[in-house]
Amino acid sequence: MLSIRGLIKTYANGVHALDNVTLDIPRGMFGLLGPNGAGKSSLMRTLATLQEADAGSATLETDDGGAIDMLRDKDAVRRQLGYLPQDFGVYPKVSAEDLLEHFAVLKGLVDRRQRREVVEALLQQVNLWDARKRKLGGFSGGMRQRFGIAQALLGSPRLVIVDEPTAGLDPEERNRFLNLLADIGEDVAVILSTHIVEDVTDLCPTMAIMNKGQVLLTGRPNDAIAALSQQVWKKQVAKAALPEYEANHAVLSTRLVAGQPVIHVFSADQPEEGFERIEPDLEDVYFRQLRLQRQAA
Ligand code: ADP
């Protein structure tokens, strides 16, 4: 329903933030996964009409079978779009209800009664109804993000973009937030940008991995994981031996388990004695893609 073709953006400082990005994004939850600096926000801001691309196109299919040229027809995009930016700020001294009302007015909900109904429904949906009279400054990170979703949903958007929304949330808040997103994703296209692999594993039937402005892989997480089947090995190693392993094997990741490094290695055959074959997961896919890109450079 959203097709992006050959998007290019180079900032004035020479950084290639979007280096020929081509992506198809269906309805439902779409995970855009990449490390800090990958270009995710640049892509999100471009789709949200907040900045211009140098070249390329982005076309949003509408329910009536029409198509919106997202890079040109900005007013039409804004009518279809809900956006939760990475640095969503709130007025700390205003209540959730009052600020959402205010945003609703800005969105063009001029009829008072209708506006009240919409605001109430959204506060219920994001589970902030009981907290509606409280000032936003006293909200937890998770509550603030749920408020951010409520404002993004004003005007019944067909496309919702959320940029790094789970960074800084504790596990319970994160879960709650992801569940809310999953509900929303049943009706509309949701693009979730994140550097947290588990966000995508837990939530997204389709995804893309991005780094250095380039799309490294796109498709279904399970297909990407299956493609690594039988080829990921793990071993607990001594800290001092790490550099040697990294020089001699395709080390995907190093993680401390009870204080001891455990490495994952990509290899068709057992790399050496002591390696145990494991079921790969999305993190292995992710690190393998980053590694392949590094090698190609
Ligand atoms: P992400 O959201 O994946 O962390 P960004 O899109 O924020 O990535 O950044 C991509 C690259 O572009 C980074 O190298 C970043 O430093 C650079 N960048 C982002 N915004 C600007 C800007 N306004 N001017 C110059 N460089 C920028």
Side-chain angles (χ1 to χ4, degrees):
M1 81 164 270
L2 168 57
S3 86
I4 299 167
R5 292 289 172 271
L7 267 196
I8 291 177
K9 174 71 182 182
T10 304
Y11 289 113
N13 59 3
V15 172
H16 299 294
L18 300 177
D19 184 3
N20 202 9
V21 168
T22 290
L23 270 180
D24 284 305
I25 299 180
R27 192 184 295 252
M29 293 289 319
F30 184 88
L32 182 65
L33 178 63
N36 287 329
K40 305 182 299 294
S41 290
S42 298
L43 179 59
M44 307 287 95
R45 286 198 302 265
T46 306
L47 297 175
T49 75
L50 299 174
Q51 73 180 41
E52 302 274 343
D54 301 329
S57 68
T59 311
L60 181 66
E61 260 173 47
T62 54
D63 287 341
D64 57 13
I68 297 173
D69 179 339
M70 294 186 73
L71 303 188
R72 301 221 164 71
D73 201 351
K74 295 186 179 167
D75 287 338
V77 173
R78 286 171 194 151
R79 282 194 292 276
Q80 304 272 344
L81 176 88
Y83 179 50
L84 176 56
Q86 191 169 8
D87 47 5
F88 179 64
V90 293
Y91 300 91
K93 294 193 173 146
V94 182
S95 76
E97 187 174 41
D98 288 348
L99 189 57
L100 196 56
E101 278 255 3
H102 172 71
F103 283 136
V105 173
L106 295 181
K107 262 274 166 183
L109 282 158
V110 286
D111 182 275
R112 208 184 129 87
R113 227 181 107 139
Q114 192 195 3
R115 186 168 69 235
R116 289 212 69 92
E117 274 171 20
V118 168
V119 166
E120 174 174 345
L122 283 174
L123 287 170
Q124 301 270 19
Q125 185 180 356
V126 301
N127 221 334
L128 287 175
W129 179 248
D130 292 340
R132 69 189 181 281
K133 305 280 185 209
R134 283 170 54 187
K135 291 193 171 60
L136 288 155
F139 273 19
S140 68
M143 293 168 83
R144 212 169 302 169
Q145 289 301 65
R146 280 185 276 133
F147 178 81
I149 284 293
Q151 66 77 32
L153 290 177
L154 281 166
S156 308
R158 305 306 302 155
L159 172 64
V160 173
I161 292 178
V162 287
D163 198 356
E164 298 265 3
T166 59
L169 299 190
D170 69 37
E172 193 187 338
E173 284 181 327
R174 177 178 162 273
N175 250 335
R176 204 165 176 177
F177 186 82
L178 294 182
N179 282 328
L180 173 63
L181 278 187
D183 286 344
I184 295 163
E186 294 193 352
D187 302 318
V188 301
V190 179
I191 307 178
L192 164 70
S193 111
T194 183
H195 64 270
I196 302 168
V197 178
E198 289 82 20
D199 283 354
V200 177
T201 311
D202 294 353
L203 204 62
C204 301
T206 47
M207 59 136 195
I209 294 173
M210 180 171 185
N211 192 32
K212 299 199 171 128
Q214 298 176 342
V215 175
L216 304 179
L217 177 132
T218 180
R220 291 188 300 191
N222 284 342
D223 293 345
I225 292 167
L228 292 191
S229 178
Q230 308 289 318
Q231 300 167 89
V232 180
W233 303 78
K234 86 167 179 187
K235 185 181 182 184
Q236 190 176 69
V237 300
K239 233 177 228 160
L242 267 179
E244 201 185 314
Y245 279 100
E246 272 163 17
N248 296 322
H249 300 284
V251 176
L252 298 175
S253 62
T254 304
R255 198 175 342 199
L256 289 179
V257 178
Q260 280 276 6
V262 170
I263 58 174
H264 283 197
V265 164
F266 177 81
S267 173
D269 305 309
Q270 187 180 38
E272 60 173 60
E273 196 129 321
F275 274 90
E276 176 196 347
R277 184 145 47 197
I278 54 166
E279 285 295 326
D281 60 19
L282 194 58
E283 197 161 280
D284 296 315
V285 170
Y286 178 59
F287 287 126
R288 168 137 170 87
Q289 289 300 323
L290 296 181
R291 191 186 157 84
L292 286 173
Q293 186 188 36
R294 259 199 320 274
Q295 282 173 337

